[in-house]
Amino acid sequence: MVDLHGQYLKIKPEVDKGIQEVIDTCAFINGPQVKQFGEELKNHTGAKHVITCANGTDALQIALMALDLKPGDEVIVPAFTYVASAEVIGLLGLTPVMVDVDSKTFNVTAENIKKALSPKSKAIIPVHLFGQACDMEPIMKIAEENGLYVIEDNAQAIGAVYTFSDGTKKQTGTIGTIGCTSFFPSKNLGCYGDGGAIFTDDDELAEKLRMIANHGQKVKYHHSVIGCNSRLDTIQAVVLMAKLPHLVEYSAARKKAADYYTLNLKNVEGIVTPEELPNSTHVYHQYTLQVLNGKRDKLKEYLASKGIPAMIYYPLPLQKQEAFKDITRAAESLETAQNLADSVLSLPIHTELTHEEQDLIIQAIKDFFKS
């Protein structure tokens, strides 16, 4: 599904040099490279503040903690996403309100968010799933009209650009009240372990986010708020600094691979290729097909028999997960989320993927539907 070793070989000198410097200085925690990476990421994204942390799930949890929400407050979240987006809501004693998503883009829509509003609504977590932005302009309008916070889950879409109706462009993760991302190794910008970051343009929020991520302290041993211990280690920071200058190139390579898939698969009867919004770039963290007529699992098995990996992201929508059954309010039927869970299949996509490798995958898919 990904070729991290091939990617590493292209940046090996920078990565090896950076890791060796950390080992030589033994500044494994909060070394100067952590702050340097934060500054470079800030410059790259246009965010006013970047707070690095231990992983993407922590980023979401810290974001919610900074908003001073109370148990029972409702947070709107898509039903079709990775569990972390809703997990942190439940962890803090808040109520996840699950809403359906668009069948073509897989993303939550302003229309569905509006249906879910109640007097207890306090925040929205739009997830930029698989690498494409949610349609953020109408979502931000709803938030503004109803006094809601917006926490962008940008774990899969770092580098994607959203265009507003007035022509303004912003990177995903920098549009809402707070943005969160993950540097899990397979992400578009991934380290060699766990890592994450939080984005905001609000000075007061930034200070509070930093404190929460550091045991609730601004001055050492003086704890102003209840916090946690969540930090990006220095070795991961140097890996990310080596990769960040290549992020645009990485996104272009993924888009090129995605376009090749779509060109060659769009007319295959029995599958639906991904749809791109006109006002968002797509950085293709995943290339996800919808396989019709209940043939998804058989296609996956067929590809596996040919030595071709494929993954189901995600086989169960959140409303069907055991962990959420007693704490969730479902705003509607969530039929699309269920249909997607039954039909989606993601193909290999990464920066090192060649057309020759894709041709084998494409031909196997065509052969399956001919048989």
Side-chain angles (χ1 to χ4, degrees):
M1 294 296 289
V2 294
D3 181 7
L4 296 177
H5 187 255
Q7 187 186 69
Y8 160 68
L9 291 176
K10 292 182 177 178
I11 55 172
K12 185 177 187 299
E14 303 101 288
V15 170
D16 291 358
K17 181 174 180 285
I19 291 175
Q20 190 61 55
E21 286 175 354
V22 175
I23 295 170
D24 289 342
T25 61
C26 294
F28 300 115
I29 302 296
N30 287 331
Q33 296 93 332
V34 176
K35 183 176 181 181
Q36 184 182 347
F37 169 66
E39 288 296 315
E40 292 181 8
L41 186 58
K42 185 172 71 172
N43 293 336
H44 182 90
T45 60
K48 189 174 181 182
H49 301 280
V50 170
I51 299 94
T52 57
C53 61
N55 55 68
T57 306
D58 277 8
L60 289 164
Q61 179 182 325
I62 292 163
L64 284 172
M65 290 172 71
L67 300 178
D68 294 325
L69 305 184
K70 303 291 186 284
D73 285 347
E74 292 184 348
V75 181
I76 297 168
V77 65
F80 187 68
T81 182
Y82 183 59
V83 68
S85 311
E87 183 178 40
V88 294
I89 303 171
L91 184 67
L92 296 174
L94 309 172
T95 300
V97 178
M98 295 181 184
V99 297
D100 219 346
V101 295
D102 180 74
S103 62
K104 295 178 180 178
T105 66
F106 313 115
N107 279 335
V108 68
T109 65
E111 181 183 356
N112 288 346
I113 289 170
K114 200 167 187 177
K115 294 176 189 174
L117 293 174
S118 84
K120 293 183 178 180
S121 300
K122 293 295 186 291
I124 307 164
I125 300 183
V127 182
H128 305 306
L129 201 67
F130 300 151
Q132 180 171 220
C134 299
D135 193 0
M136 288 300 293
E137 187 165 7
I139 291 174
M140 293 303 296
K141 184 178 179 185
I142 287 173
E144 185 178 346
E145 290 172 349
N146 293 275
L148 306 178
Y149 299 110
V150 176
I151 302 170
E152 294 175 79
D153 184 338
N154 197 37
Q156 298 186 12
I158 191 164
V161 176
Y162 179 83
T163 304
F164 288 82
S165 57
D166 65 359
T168 302
K169 296 179 184 291
K170 282 195 167 187
Q171 287 199 30
T172 51
T174 69
I175 300 167
T177 316
I178 304 173
C180 303
T181 199
S182 165
F183 301 128
F184 188 79
S186 63
K187 300 296 192 220
N188 292 34
L189 180 63
C191 54
Y192 292 166
D194 269 319
I198 310 165
F199 308 89
T200 187
D201 287 346
D202 186 304
D203 296 342
E204 289 185 16
L205 260 182
E207 182 172 318
K208 192 167 186 183
L209 290 162
R210 286 192 187 94
M211 289 169 61
I212 291 171
N214 186 30
H215 294 290
Q217 62 187 346
K218 184 177 179 181
V219 178
K220 197 168 186 178
Y221 303 129
H222 293 262
H223 307 274
S224 304
V225 296
I226 296 296
C228 58
N229 177 26
S230 185
R231 54 199 174 203
L232 181 71
D233 75 62
T234 314
I235 285 178
Q236 305 310 333
V238 299
V239 172
L240 291 164
M241 277 199 292
K243 286 190 173 187
L244 183 57
H246 301 279
L247 182 56
V248 172
E249 166 196 334
Y250 291 164
S251 298
R254 287 173 174 270
K255 179 70 165 65
K256 181 180 177 183
D259 288 348
Y260 193 75
Y261 274 138
T262 299
L263 177 67
N264 288 281
L265 292 173
K266 64 182 177 181
N267 294 322
V268 175
E269 190 173 345
I271 60 175
V272 179
T273 53
E275 181 165 312
E276 296 183 10
L277 283 172
N279 56 349
S280 171
T281 61
H282 201 317
V283 295
Y284 283 100
H285 175 61
Q286 301 295 345
Y287 184 89
T288 302
L289 301 172
Q290 294 179 62
V291 185
L292 308 178
N293 305 315
K295 293 185 177 181
R296 188 267 308 280
D297 293 347
K298 289 183 179 179
L299 174 58
K300 186 175 185 294
E301 290 171 9
Y302 181 80
L303 293 175
S305 74
K306 302 293 183 182
I308 298 169
M311 293 293 290
I312 299 169
Y313 304 115
Y314 301 95
L316 271 181
L318 293 184
Q319 77 270 18
K320 293 293 181 70
Q321 298 287 353
E322 183 74 15
F324 296 107
K325 69 176 186 178
D326 295 327
I327 65 168
T328 297
R329 179 169 76 81
E332 48 190 320
S333 70
L334 308 180
E335 181 181 1
T336 301
Q338 184 61 64
N339 290 341
L340 290 174
D342 292 337
S343 64
V344 291
L345 189 66
S346 296
L347 303 180
I349 191 163
H350 52 82
T351 57
E352 312 308 303
L353 193 64
T354 66
H355 285 343
E356 289 76 18
E357 290 169 326
Q358 289 185 275
D359 285 337
L360 295 173
I361 299 166
I362 291 162
Q363 190 57 52
I365 293 170
K366 289 181 176 178
D367 289 345
F368 172 81
F369 283 102
K370 285 178 186 174
S371 60

